[in-house]
Amino acid sequence: MTGQGQSAAGSAAWSAVFRHVRYENLVAGVSGGVLSNLALHPLDLVKIRFAVSDGLEVRPKYKGILHCLATIWKVDGLRGLYQGVTPNVWGAGLSWGLYFFFYNAIKSYKTEGRAEQLEPLEYLVSAAEAGAMTLCITNPLWVTKTRLMLQYGGVASPSQRQYKGMFDALVKIYKYEGVRGLYKFMAYELLKLKYNKHINRLPEAQLSTAEYISVAALSKIFAVAATYPYQVVRARLQDQHVSYGGVTDVITKTWRKEGIGGFYKGIAPNLIRVTPACCITFVVYENVSHFLYDLREKKVS
């Protein structure tokens, strides 16, 4: 097939995927992401602070989660605990909204005309495709969130308070680091289907709130255990206080100076945060999406 033919086939495939998009998934995902991150943002701040803790003099020293929260409160008050909340809420809302938006469209496209459910690998590929598309759109917000969270101290100085807010950070990162600076670098679905099958319900049957919480919590614990080192590497690459040559450079220096423990710094506040955050997100998502779908069906009928 020629390059032009491949391009036309690819365009046709994506057109078919986007016939399956539903605004309900976008709205429900945004709702869940915004609410969970507003509620648990301070723990995300603590996680980032610990993740980049490499002994650099500019960084405050914390003895634990509570000491970190108390120190930030003492220096900057409630505002300090919500440093970086604007890009975090924007990023989380858009990420969850777009993820569910793309994921459900891709899943519906792949199951069109099929009687059986997708295979585990197909769910994984669908989630990866949706995640990649979402990350391409939202990554600048995550870089901005990290930069704002890593502004230390209560006194303004060029090294500590170089960003005034989300838009100021976006402009300055683009101005001084270019587009590259903005791009420094699913178990849930399967668990839900397996559970429904185990209790002899239809695969896509709606779960109760308690069941959604249990499934979401389990899926998130699996995900965190598998991917946490990546989050540490990402945070360090996005940090404005240290310059690394790339992913390999971060991994090499972290291993050399801190060993395996360096890749799991901040995992405790992260686990405390992500499990309830994930539960809130999925419970809100499932309930809002079902409500909107029911609303659509009532209008049609």
Side-chain angles (χ1 to χ4, degrees):
M1 186 182 286
T2 65
Q4 189 174 3
Q6 288 175 332
S7 177
S11 297
W14 280 114
S15 295
V17 169
F18 280 99
R19 283 204 308 271
H20 293 276
V21 299
R22 296 289 183 271
Y23 82 90
E24 291 90 348
N25 295 316
L26 178 65
V27 173
V30 168
S31 302
V34 167
L35 286 173
S36 64
N37 277 269
L38 272 176
L40 297 158
H41 179 83
L43 285 170
D44 197 12
L45 174 65
V46 174
K47 181 205 84 172
I48 293 289
R49 293 280 178 100
F50 278 117
V52 300
S53 179
D54 54 3
L56 199 66
E57 282 302 314
V58 71
R59 305 191 199 282
K61 306 297 185 288
Y62 305 117
K63 297 174 185 176
I65 298 170
L66 292 177
H67 180 250
C68 180
L69 289 168
T71 303
I72 296 169
W73 174 272
K74 185 178 179 181
V75 175
D76 290 315
L78 183 63
R79 185 176 180 180
L81 292 174
Y82 277 84
Q83 265 182 247
V85 70
T86 304
N88 198 21
V89 168
W90 274 80
L94 279 174
S95 288
W96 282 111
L98 291 172
Y99 172 79
F100 285 121
F101 185 70
F102 292 136
Y103 174 68
N104 283 284
I106 292 168
K107 189 176 69 169
S108 296
Y109 167 69
K110 289 182 178 179
T111 55
E112 188 175 29
R114 287 174 53 170
E116 70 278 6
Q117 294 295 315
L118 297 180
E119 295 295 325
L121 182 60
E122 292 176 301
Y123 279 117
L124 183 63
V125 172
S126 298
E129 290 170 342
M133 292 168 73
T134 299
L135 189 60
C136 287
I137 297 168
T138 61
N139 199 70
L141 290 169
W142 298 129
V143 176
T144 304
K145 180 198 82 169
T146 301
R147 296 289 179 92
L148 289 171
M149 284 181 165
L150 296 178
Q151 295 196 123
Y152 305 112
V155 181
S157 74
S159 65
Q160 293 176 334
R161 298 288 180 186
Q162 63 199 85
Y163 306 118
K164 296 173 183 175
M166 183 178 79
F167 293 107
D168 183 55
L170 284 168
V171 169
K172 284 180 177 174
I173 293 169
Y174 178 75
K175 182 178 179 181
Y176 297 113
E177 302 172 51
V179 173
R180 187 178 178 181
L182 295 169
Y183 282 88
K184 289 182 176 177
F185 215 86
M186 186 150 171
Y188 173 75
E189 191 75 30
L190 286 173
L191 283 169
K192 190 171 72 170
L193 289 171
K194 293 289 184 185
Y195 178 75
N196 276 334
K197 185 178 179 181
H198 177 70
I199 60 173
N200 296 315
R201 282 200 310 219
L202 290 171
E204 297 297 333
Q206 185 174 2
L207 277 61
S208 69
T209 297
E211 290 169 331
Y212 279 129
I213 288 173
S214 301
V215 171
L218 280 172
S219 69
K220 198 59 182 179
I221 289 168
F222 293 151
V224 169
T227 64
Y228 191 75
Y230 151 77
Q231 294 185 44
V232 172
V233 171
R234 184 181 68 176
R236 294 192 176 198
L237 275 173
Q238 294 172 351
D239 182 12
Q240 67 265 40
H241 300 291
V242 182
S243 180
Y244 293 102
V247 173
T248 305
D249 189 36
V250 177
I251 294 171
T252 303
K253 287 178 178 175
T254 302
W255 177 264
R256 189 183 301 142
K257 293 179 181 178
E258 304 162 64
I260 189 68
F263 294 99
Y264 287 90
K265 283 188 172 179
I267 194 168
N270 191 53
L271 281 171
I272 294 170
R273 179 190 70 86
V274 297
T275 304
C278 187
C279 293
I280 292 169
T281 301
F282 278 99
V283 168
V284 172
Y285 167 76
E286 295 286 359
N287 284 285
V288 170
S289 60
H290 280 290
F291 171 76
L292 292 173
Y293 278 126
D294 289 345
L295 210 61
R296 178 199 285 259
E297 286 177 9
K298 285 177 184 176
K299 285 182 179 178
V300 171
S301 59

